[in-house]
Amino acid sequence: GRDEDTAYLVQPFVEGVSLAQRLERGALPVRDALVIARELLSTLERVHEQGVVHRDIKPANVIVDPASPPAWTVLIDFSLARSSRLPESIRDLPAGTARFMAPEQAGLIDADVDERADLYSVGALLFSCLAGRPPFEGDDAGQVLRAQISATVPALASVGTTVPGAVEAMVQRLLRKDPTDRYQSAGAV
């Protein structure tokens, strides 16, 4: 809608808790994390089919059923979905956003920002669900981004998380730095 010079968007309220709030209590059981990932990937498959890339998948933008395992998951906040490439001022973003951003989206590598950037973000989110912390950490966005491009993705076992080998392999593939090395679609995951 519009009120004089102010444009606004009204969205429905979604009952539940943000995944960020749920992760404040620590890592999730593997089953819960996989349910959340499956729901997100299903949503992304439909969104990507419409030519939309979310570009801001992070725990604060995921609302989950508080039950364990969660019965549903909702991806919210599509406010960056239609922007093209993010500006170079990306280093001014809070580290929370940078922790889940694909290297190409942050301008760290020369590649198009497409559906595979969202898949990287799902990988970082799934790692966080399983490990209780993101794959790359730092005090500010610059430190996180430097680690993201230069450090190897830690194995979940190295941070004290035991998962089936197939889950580890999926997370590692989602978090590959080069988008051509990741899954190529949400449906493929």
Side-chain angles (χ1 to χ4, degrees):
R2 182 170 293 281
D3 182 19
E4 295 181 18
D5 291 336
T6 303
Y8 61 89
L9 175 67
V10 177
Q11 298 176 337
F13 177 75
V14 180
E15 290 285 341
V17 298
S18 75
L19 183 56
Q21 291 170 309
R22 187 150 179 200
L23 288 173
E24 287 174 1
R25 296 180 293 197
L28 302 179
V30 172
R31 181 176 175 194
D32 290 17
L34 291 176
V35 167
I36 290 167
R38 184 188 67 220
E39 292 284 319
L40 282 176
L41 290 163
S42 176
T43 297
L44 287 174
E45 187 173 21
R46 292 190 310 273
V47 168
H48 292 165
E49 285 173 357
Q50 300 302 313
V52 175
V53 179
H54 189 280
R55 292 186 171 100
D56 196 22
I57 297 169
K58 59 187 177 184
N61 286 343
V62 177
I63 305 297
V64 296
D65 172 19
S68 180
W72 51 265
T73 299
V74 178
L75 180 60
I76 63 169
D77 192 357
F78 281 76
S79 62
L80 293 179
R82 295 193 187 268
S83 64
S84 54
R85 196 167 178 91
L86 291 176
E88 289 187 24
S89 62
I90 192 72
R91 294 191 186 278
D92 296 332
L93 286 175
T97 296
R99 287 184 178 109
F100 300 93
M101 188 178 296
E104 65 272 21
Q105 187 177 350
L108 300 174
I109 62 171
D110 186 23
D112 291 335
V113 178
D114 59 21
E115 294 85 0
R116 298 168 299 179
D118 281 349
L119 300 181
Y120 180 96
S121 298
V122 170
L125 187 137
L126 182 54
F127 185 101
S128 298
C129 287
L130 295 166
R133 69 167 188 85
F136 303 106
E137 298 185 289
D139 293 331
D140 59 41
Q143 287 180 355
V144 171
L145 295 173
R146 278 188 295 281
Q148 188 183 59
I149 198 64
S150 62
T152 303
V153 178
L156 286 161
S158 74
V159 295
T161 301
T162 304
V163 297
V167 173
E168 177 71 48
M170 177 180 61
V171 171
Q172 290 291 322
R173 185 168 177 190
L174 285 165
L175 289 172
R176 290 189 181 153
K177 295 171 190 338
D178 186 336
T180 61
D181 294 335
R182 294 180 208 139
Y183 293 96
Q184 299 300 294
S185 70
V189 182

